[in-house]
């Protein structure tokens, strides 16, 4: 620790160290810690009329959390959100692993640049607009249905937006980059000679991936999965725009609570969601045997 | 056991650039063969062609008499040791060595026995369950050798595997590699830019200039009778004197230079009138005892550096021709002072005449 401070002081000087401490500290305290604590505090208090706030009834209670655990519908939506986010994560992983491998170890020169550009360009457009585009594609008389009818594959339009399919599809599309880049980054650092060596020793490509590439890419896979899962579980735009009116997402329940002015209940639900994400992250770390330090690399 | 490797008119082109051109060589089964050349001369390309990471643009590669075109590196009877070793860092020593066996579906118990044998062979006892990153450079080297030998290759390909080691370890590993090669009888194809490595270990050496195989011969012949100016200048140190051929006498020629006329061997059978270069090794230049014999030069001593078992004397003739002499210290070498004028000679047997300008000089 002492070494750490000495090196920092030598490399950055007193002003530099102070600048970093103040800016990062302020960001941590004001942007993350205090808002989260306020929300947590909200979640532990009952909803009261304005004049009773701060009065004798305004005490800490677990009532809001009990509401959640006793509401079977909300619990069901909560588990559906976990389940669907897992599907989004796994689908994104299945799509992104080959892309990342191709980018990092197969493609050369300008091909890499073009592919990268192709991946990034959609992200120049606002997420909402991209979701609207999907809405247009998947609508009852949308492009996809018209194409399928034109090709004679179907006679009547399919309602793609029934259930969760459209939401999962839209999210997978929206978060692909967050999966590709962490995996690409670690794969990039894999020595090509290791692939050649394994091949030379007689290994099939499947085994090379299972034994050499995937183990090397583990930290990237863990980061990609964590990010995609959190984004999928935490977004409100995708279910709002692509989900069917009958199929609710947990973030929408939270949103409704805030809109109905029951901030306390909303805060409790949001805390539950946050806990879920933290737990998921630790499960990923454990599953991939990756340390917190590696995760940040 | 080893198999023979034949390269027949092999060329490898990358776009317009030939990394190797019209290479012909027949490497015998069980031979220790080295490709020696400067970096970028295409020797690694040759190795990758033999290992099957790519197929030649033109020509044929045969291993054990079988044409290898279209046969991938995972099927060829070769194993490669990479310059950076390319060990699997997330695996233990045992798992690294056993990788090729596992791939072949060998039963676990048999695998374990074979891995133990190999650990024994390369002298790595007690490191089996360690991660490769915990090993020293020399130990990693041994793991790479064992991993490659595990798959019982007929041909072992080594891409400058010793270049990362320190001098002492390198000379130790040289002897070790040579030993392993003798014990296993596997054909070794070794790539290096280090002439000592090539000369000490190999049965035969192929010297390469840019994309071209200049000469294939035993180390002694490569050193004593280089066939081209490239080989003569790349392998070992030489004194170089330029001149014109005046006359021919059997296998010898008389060359007229600014510093006098000299008799020397004429292996390329050049004719009078041609311009040529004499190559003389510093250790074949001696102090002249009979000042009127052939091939004597009068020089002044510019520099003398005493290295213990020998001394290197830098000389220059009146005409400005530089000459290096290496005097063995047998205890009777007369003391030479810097600036002193002395007469030196070389035997016509030890001076060889080569054509100018048929290839670039390293």
């Amino acid at each position: 620790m002492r070494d750490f401070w000495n090196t920092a002081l030598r490399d950055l000087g007193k002003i530099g160290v102070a600048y970093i401490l103040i800016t990062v500290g302020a960001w941590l305290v004001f942007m993350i810690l205090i808002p989260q604590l306020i929300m947590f505090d909200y979640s532990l208090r009952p909803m009261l009329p304005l004049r009773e706030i701060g009065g004798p009834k305004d005490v800490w209670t677990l009532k809001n959390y009990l509401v959640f655990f006793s509401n079977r519908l909300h619990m069901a939506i909560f588990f559906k959100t976990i389940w669907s986010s897992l599907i989004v994560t796994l689908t994104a992983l299945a799509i992104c692993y080959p892309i990342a491998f191709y980018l990092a170890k197969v493609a050369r020169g300008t091909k890499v640049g073009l592919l990268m550009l192709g991946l990034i360009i959609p992200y120049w457009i606002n997420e909402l607009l991209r979701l609207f585009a999907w809405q247009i594609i998947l609508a009852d008389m949308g492009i996809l249905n018209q194409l399928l009818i034109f090709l004679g594959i179907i006679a009547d339009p399919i309602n793609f937006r029934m259930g969760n399919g459209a939401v999962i599809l839209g999210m997978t599309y929206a978060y692909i980059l967050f999966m590709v880049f962490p995996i690409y980054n670690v794969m990039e650092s894999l020595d090509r000679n290791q692939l050649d060596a394994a091949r030379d020793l007689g290994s099939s490509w499947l085994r090379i991936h299972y034994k050499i590439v995937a183990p090397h890419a583990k930290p990237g896979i863990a980061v990609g999965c964590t990010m995609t899962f959190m984004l999928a579980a935490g977004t409100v735009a995708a279910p709002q725009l692509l989900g069917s009116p009958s199929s609710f997402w947990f973030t929408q329940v939270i949103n409704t609570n805030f809109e109905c002015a029951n901030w306390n209940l909303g805060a409790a639900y949001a805390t539950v969601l946050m806990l879920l994400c933290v737990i998921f992250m630790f499960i990923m770390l454990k599953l991939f045997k990756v340390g917190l330090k590696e995760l940040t690399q | 056991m080893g198999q023979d490797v034949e390269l027949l008119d092999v060329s490898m082109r990358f776009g317009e650039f030939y990394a190797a051109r019209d290479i012909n060589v027949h490497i015998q089964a069980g031979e220790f063969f080295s490709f020696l050349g400067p970096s970028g001369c295409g020797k690694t390309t040759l190795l990758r062609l033999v290992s099957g990471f790519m197929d030649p643009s033109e020509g044929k590669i045969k291993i054990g008499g079988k044409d290898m075109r279209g046969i991938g590196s995972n099927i060829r009877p070769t194993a490669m040791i990479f310059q950076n070793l390319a060990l699997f860092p997330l695996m233990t020593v045992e798992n690294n060595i056993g990788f090729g066996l596992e791939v072949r579906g060998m039963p676990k118990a048999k695998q374990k026995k074979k891995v133990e044998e190999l650990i024994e062979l390369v002298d790595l006892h007690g490191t089996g369950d360690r991660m490769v990153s915990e090993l020293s450079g020399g130990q990693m080297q041994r793991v790479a050798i064992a991993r490659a030998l595990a798959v019982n290759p007929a041909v072992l390909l080594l891409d400058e595997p010793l270049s990362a080691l320190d001098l002492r370890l390198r000379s130790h590993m040289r002897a070790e590699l040579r030993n392993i090669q003798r014990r296993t009888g596997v054909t070794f194809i070794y790539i290096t830019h280090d002439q000592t490595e090539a000369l000490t270990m190999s049965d035969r050496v192929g010297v390469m200039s840019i994309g071209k195989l200049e000469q294939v011969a035993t180390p002694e012949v490569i050193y004593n009778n280089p066939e081209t100016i490239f080989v003569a200048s790349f392998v070992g140190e030489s004194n170089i004197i330029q001149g014109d051929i005046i006359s021919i006498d059997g296998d010898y020629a008389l060359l007229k230079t600014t510093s006098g006329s000299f008799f020397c061997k004429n292996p390329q059978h050049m004719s009078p009138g041609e311009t040529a270069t004499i190559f003389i090794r510093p250790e074949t230049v001696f102090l002249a005892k009979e000042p009127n014999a052939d091939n004597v030069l009068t020089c002044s001593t510019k520099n003398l550096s005493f290295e213990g078992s020998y001394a290197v004397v830098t000389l220059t003739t009146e005409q400005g021709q530089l000459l290096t002499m290496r005097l063995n210290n047998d205890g009777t070498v007369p003391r030479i002072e810097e600036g002193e004028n002395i007469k030196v000679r070389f035997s016509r047997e030890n001076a060889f005449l080569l054509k100018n300008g048929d290839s670039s000089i390293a």
Side-chain angles (χ1 to χ4, degrees):
Chain A
M1 202 57 198
R2 213 176 150 160
D3 279 351
F4 172 79
W5 285 114
N6 285 338
T7 327
L9 275 174
R10 196 191 58 218
D11 291 350
L12 302 164
K14 275 184 194 150
I15 295 174
V17 169
Y19 176 76
I20 289 175
L21 281 182
I22 289 168
T23 46
V24 173
W27 178 69
L28 266 176
V29 170
F30 292 108
M31 309 288 273
I32 296 177
L33 212 56
I34 290 180
Q36 291 289 343
L37 284 175
I38 291 175
M39 205 186 70
F40 189 56
D41 178 61
Y42 262 92
S43 76
L44 291 173
R45 292 176 192 278
M47 187 179 76
L48 294 168
L50 202 56
R51 61 189 143 77
E52 283 182 43
I53 288 177
K57 281 192 193 164
D58 197 0
V59 286
W60 278 359
T61 162
L62 286 173
K63 214 184 106 217
N64 293 322
Y65 290 92
L66 292 175
V67 168
F68 169 68
F69 287 109
S70 58
N71 187 328
R72 294 187 65 179
L73 179 65
H74 286 177
M75 287 285 274
I77 293 173
F78 179 69
F79 284 115
K80 186 199 80 179
T81 304
I82 297 179
W83 182 235
S84 307
S85 302
L86 278 176
I87 293 177
V88 170
T89 307
L90 289 176
T91 315
L93 178 62
I95 294 170
C96 296
Y97 180 93
I99 295 177
F101 181 73
Y102 183 81
L103 273 175
K105 286 288 156 259
V106 183
R108 305 249 160 118
T110 46
K111 247 192 205 159
V112 181
L114 283 175
L115 258 165
M116 283 279 190
L117 209 62
L119 278 171
I120 293 167
I121 282 176
Y123 288 79
W124 292 351
I125 299 158
N126 184 291
E127 187 186 344
L128 286 178
L129 290 178
R130 269 181 286 142
L131 291 170
F132 272 121
W134 274 110
Q135 219 181 41
I136 295 166
I137 294 170
L138 298 174
D140 285 356
M141 274 326 277
I143 297 167
L144 191 57
N145 270 317
Q146 286 188 16
L147 183 75
L148 290 175
I149 292 170
F150 175 77
L151 292 174
I153 295 170
I154 53 172
D156 300 306
I158 299 172
N159 188 353
F160 288 113
R161 293 179 54 212
M162 274 288 284
N164 303 309
V167 184
I168 290 171
L169 179 76
M171 280 187 184
T172 308
Y173 171 75
Y175 303 132
I176 270 185
L177 266 201
F178 297 91
M179 189 65 99
V180 167
F181 276 109
I183 302 180
Y184 167 76
N185 268 340
V186 284
M187 278 187 181
E188 177 91 293
S189 67
L190 176 65
D191 173 17
R192 243 217 91 89
N193 280 347
Q194 278 185 38
L195 306 181
D196 282 344
R199 190 78 184 145
D200 190 47
L201 292 168
S203 181
S204 65
W205 279 111
L206 198 68
R207 188 187 291 267
I208 289 176
H209 277 282
Y210 169 62
K211 282 286 203 182
I212 316 273
V213 185
H216 179 88
K218 256 180 5 186
I221 295 174
V223 171
C225 286
T226 310
M227 290 218 282
T228 310
F229 180 86
M230 285 182 181
L231 287 165
T235 183
V236 75
Q240 204 90 301
L241 292 175
L242 292 174
S244 73
S246 58
S247 164
F248 248 41
W249 213 255
F250 194 64
T251 44
Q252 289 173 290
V253 179
I254 298 173
N255 197 26
T256 315
N257 278 326
F258 278 97
E259 276 173 355
C260 299
N262 194 345
W263 285 33
N264 306 80
L265 195 59
Y269 278 33
T271 306
V272 170
L273 184 63
M274 192 182 75
L275 273 178
L276 167 75
C277 288
V278 172
I279 289 168
F280 180 82
M281 191 180 82
F282 280 106
I283 290 175
M284 291 310 285
L285 293 183
K286 198 89 193 147
L287 205 64
F288 286 98
K289 298 196 182 79
V290 180
L292 262 179
K293 213 181 118 200
E294 285 173 86
L295 198 67
T296 53
Q297 275 168 358
Chain B
M1 272 314 278
Q3 288 182 4
D4 63 325
V5 178
E6 273 176 282
L7 276 70
L8 300 164
D9 296 319
V10 168
S11 293
M12 188 67 203
R13 206 178 47 227
F14 297 104
E16 293 290 292
F17 170 71
Y18 274 92
R21 197 162 208 166
D22 298 329
I23 306 289
N24 277 292
V25 59
H26 190 171
I27 298 162
Q28 303 298 327
E31 190 176 13
F32 196 127
F33 189 95
S34 293
F35 284 107
L36 171 66
S39 48
C41 73
K43 47 195 197 307
T44 298
T45 303
L46 284 188
L47 212 59
R48 294 181 73 85
L49 286 171
V50 175
S51 68
F53 292 124
M54 47 196 188
D55 273 329
S57 317
E58 289 145 45
K60 254 186 208 161
I61 290 172
K62 287 185 178 177
I63 301 178
K66 255 175 51 192
D67 191 352
M68 285 289 131
R69 184 168 287 278
I71 297 177
S73 58
N74 53 334
I75 299 169
R76 293 194 186 188
T78 59
M80 178 136 156
I81 296 177
F82 291 77
Q83 187 164 15
N84 68 354
L85 305 183
L87 297 177
F88 307 131
L90 302 176
M91 296 184 197
T92 61
V93 169
E94 273 170 353
N95 289 346
N96 262 280
I97 298 175
F99 185 84
L101 305 174
E102 199 193 317
V103 164
R104 280 159 179 72
M106 188 187 265
K108 280 266 181 279
K110 234 177 131 189
Q111 256 184 55
K112 201 167 158 52
K113 201 169 152 265
K114 174 97 189 183
V115 169
E116 270 163 19
E117 277 172 29
L118 285 160
I119 287 183
E120 201 71 23
L121 177 78
V122 297
D123 220 2
L124 273 174
H125 339 263
T127 59
D129 50 1
R130 280 205 243 158
M131 300 303 280
V132 287
S133 53
E134 296 167 35
L135 303 181
S136 68
Q139 288 174 319
M140 287 189 194
Q141 199 76 55
R142 289 157 202 267
V143 175
I145 295 167
R147 184 180 71 175
L149 287 175
V151 298
N152 278 333
V155 182
L156 194 69
L157 308 165
L158 303 98
D159 186 3
E160 309 212 24
L162 304 186
S163 55
L165 301 182
D166 64 57
L167 200 64
R168 227 168 54 100
L169 200 52
R170 211 182 312 163
S171 58
H172 176 74
M173 285 308 294
R174 257 183 230 152
E176 199 94 322
L177 273 177
R178 185 71 224 198
N179 257 329
I180 290 171
Q181 195 265 338
R182 291 228 172 89
R183 260 183 286 168
T184 55
V186 172
T187 312
F188 272 39
I189 303 182
Y190 194 94
I191 291 284
T192 182
H193 65 266
D194 179 334
Q195 45 175 302
T196 321
E197 241 170 66
L199 296 180
T200 50
M201 287 193 286
S202 320
D203 294 317
R204 280 194 303 160
V205 179
V207 182
M208 285 188 77
S209 62
I210 309 303
K212 190 176 157 207
L213 194 53
E214 296 269 342
Q215 186 177 2
V216 178
T218 61
E220 291 80 11
V221 172
I222 291 280
Y223 190 82
N224 292 330
N225 299 300
E227 278 171 7
T228 68
I229 215 164
F230 178 86
V231 177
S233 45
F234 186 74
V235 182
E237 282 170 49
S238 289
N239 289 300
I240 295 169
I241 308 175
Q242 307 241 345
D244 301 309
I245 301 176
I246 306 171
S247 63
I248 301 290
D249 176 13
D251 287 340
Y252 301 93
L254 182 62
L255 193 83
K256 185 169 178 277
T257 76
T258 50
S259 302
S261 296
F262 307 106
F263 288 101
C264 40
K265 266 198 208 158
N266 182 13
Q268 291 176 331
H269 306 293
M270 285 182 280
S271 339
E274 283 187 74
T275 325
T277 306
I278 316 179
F279 283 83
I280 312 150
R281 302 286 185 200
E283 64 269 25
T284 60
V285 178
F286 301 99
L287 289 168
K289 299 210 172 80
E290 301 161 48
N292 295 323
D294 291 336
N295 296 355
V296 172
L297 293 110
T298 308
C299 309
S300 70
T301 314
K302 276 188 69 179
N303 186 27
L304 188 137
S305 79
F306 180 68
E307 308 258 351
S309 64
Y310 61 90
V312 177
V313 190
T314 313
L315 305 158
T316 172
T317 65
E318 243 174 71
Q319 291 76 23
Q321 171 71 49
L322 274 177
L323 213 61
T324 309
M325 174 169 66
R326 185 161 154 162
L327 288 175
N328 261 331
N329 182 5
D330 60 358
T332 64
V333 175
R335 182 101 191 114
I336 300 168
E337 299 294 333
E338 281 179 22
E340 193 181 336
N341 277 325
I342 55 169
K343 282 183 189 297
V344 298
R345 56 159 265 273
F346 55 89
S347 132
R348 60 174 76 183
E349 292 299 325
N350 293 329
F352 35 90
L353 205 57
L354 293 169
K355 254 182 212 152
N356 277 346
D358 60 343
S359 69
S360 52
I361 296 179

